[in-house]
Amino acid sequence: MAEIIQKDGTWAFDGDALRLTPGRDKNVSLLRRTLGELVVPLGALAGVSFEQGKRDGRLRLRLRDGADPLLQATGGRLTEPHDPYQLVVESDRYGVAEYVVDEVRNALLLDEVPSDPVTAYLLPGPSVPLSVSAGDGTASFDGEHVRLEWNWKTEDAKAAAGARTLAVADIEAVEWHPAAGLENGWLRFTVRNASTKAPPKYDPNSVDLWGFKKDPLMALVAAAVQARLPHPAGAGASDVRREEPASVPRQPAAGDDHDTLLRRLRELGELRREGVLTEEEFTMAKQAVLKRM
């Protein structure tokens, strides 16, 4: 197993999936703490990278388009503090971060995982029930219905209709957008036969967001709903290679020959001698290689 433990969180890779656990440091965002641990199957990954900085570095995962309902609902608009697929790495653990990157990249190559878009979600989305209060209302989701309730700051024309209950079967699309500058953000549901071009503060199927601390949590509601909608690329994709479910175990690769694995053991020994890997990290990594032999 390749593992890196930081204040920002822990990433652990067992050859089949990456387990991303947010840290308990005060700088870890509310969204990541609320979302909790993510298990990303190898087949959902398009790539991984590590960027070094003067004070700290950053591990980044790139998922295949359409693999994650959270990324689908937010359209790539999650900023760095809230992005669960990034990890801040302290300078004394740069070597470990590079080792994790190598292991994930090797597994992607050995399993011949394509980087093209998928036609079904490979991650389940946030767990439900879920309820978030932000901006001019509260959005709750139980897995079947979305309920929108308004507060005293809601525009009168919008609040006059009262609380809204939307069945998932009636929702065609969901979108979360953060506030930016003087522009408000929103959580918007597109309802069948009730589309509107009204701004979110007047739209009874939208929550208007003003850029406060809890705004990003609305992205979790959007993702939970998105996970239960038809996949955007699902229709007419019969000629696309069918994705294996995340539960299918990784088969041993023919490329795991002794020469490759012996070279990996030598590299691990060098990392330990140079002080990049601790004794415990070296032992765990060595056991993972020996297991593959």
Side-chain angles (χ1 to χ4, degrees):
M1 175 180 288
E3 183 178 55
I4 181 167
I5 303 173
Q6 295 290 274
K7 293 179 181 178
D8 194 39
T10 298
W11 285 16
F13 180 60
D14 63 4
D16 294 320
L18 256 172
R19 190 175 297 272
L20 315 179
T21 308
R24 298 182 179 180
D25 188 75
K26 63 181 180 180
N27 294 322
V28 177
S29 76
L30 180 60
L31 181 146
R32 288 178 58 207
R33 294 200 304 268
T34 304
L35 182 60
E37 185 177 81
L38 285 174
V39 178
V40 184
L42 185 65
L45 295 178
V48 59
S49 64
F50 175 59
E51 303 166 5
Q52 294 189 15
K54 292 183 179 179
R55 297 184 59 182
D56 52 44
R58 195 174 297 274
L59 276 168
R60 300 178 190 269
L61 285 183
R62 183 166 57 89
L63 271 63
R64 297 169 66 186
D65 289 345
D68 181 21
L70 175 62
L71 297 183
Q72 185 72 39
T74 58
R77 290 179 288 267
L78 284 175
T79 54
E80 286 189 0
H82 311 299
D83 187 346
Y85 301 114
Q86 298 187 31
L87 181 73
V88 176
V89 178
E90 297 161 21
S91 58
D92 63 346
R93 280 294 177 264
Y94 281 2
V96 181
E98 290 171 347
Y99 171 65
V100 172
V101 168
D102 286 344
E103 289 297 290
V104 175
R105 286 178 176 171
N106 288 341
L108 288 171
L109 288 172
L110 291 171
D111 278 26
E112 298 181 346
V113 177
S115 59
D116 54 336
V118 299
T119 59
Y121 294 122
L122 303 182
L123 281 83
S127 58
V128 294
L130 188 60
S131 182
V132 177
S133 296
D136 69 350
T138 297
S140 304
F141 183 52
D142 62 6
E144 297 181 356
H145 297 86
V146 173
R147 183 167 177 81
L148 302 177
E149 300 175 273
W150 314 117
N151 56 39
W152 63 274
K153 295 168 283 188
T154 309
E155 288 286 336
D156 291 343
K158 181 175 173 178
R164 302 275 290 170
T165 299
L166 309 174
V168 170
D170 295 328
I171 298 174
E172 293 184 333
V174 57
E175 180 188 21
W176 172 86
H177 201 291
L182 299 178
E183 297 291 329
N184 288 353
W186 62 81
L187 170 67
R188 186 193 296 273
F189 298 94
T190 301
V191 180
R192 186 174 290 106
N193 301 322
S195 60
T196 176
K197 295 183 180 180
K201 69 176 181 178
Y202 298 117
D203 181 3
N205 297 322
S206 300
V207 178
D208 197 29
L209 303 175
W210 304 320
F212 295 147
K213 183 178 180 180
K214 288 189 176 181
D215 281 13
L217 295 183
M218 284 292 185
L220 300 183
V221 177
V225 174
Q226 184 72 60
R228 290 160 176 80
L229 298 180
H231 193 280
S238 59
D239 58 334
V240 178
R241 172 181 169 271
R242 182 180 178 84
E243 294 301 319
E244 292 183 352
S247 59
V248 175
R250 174 175 176 259
Q251 297 299 317
D256 281 358
D257 57 55
H258 273 63
D259 289 343
T260 301
L261 297 176
L262 287 173
R263 185 168 63 252
R264 169 60 65 191
L265 287 174
R266 287 194 293 270
E267 291 172 353
L268 290 174
E270 291 174 3
L271 290 173
R272 180 183 61 172
R273 286 191 294 274
E274 293 170 1
V276 173
L277 293 178
T278 66
E279 190 65 33
E280 182 180 359
E281 291 166 341
F282 169 75
T283 301
M284 292 177 61
K286 182 180 70 173
Q287 289 175 347
V289 174
L290 292 175
K291 188 175 182 180
R292 291 164 72 175
M293 293 179 72

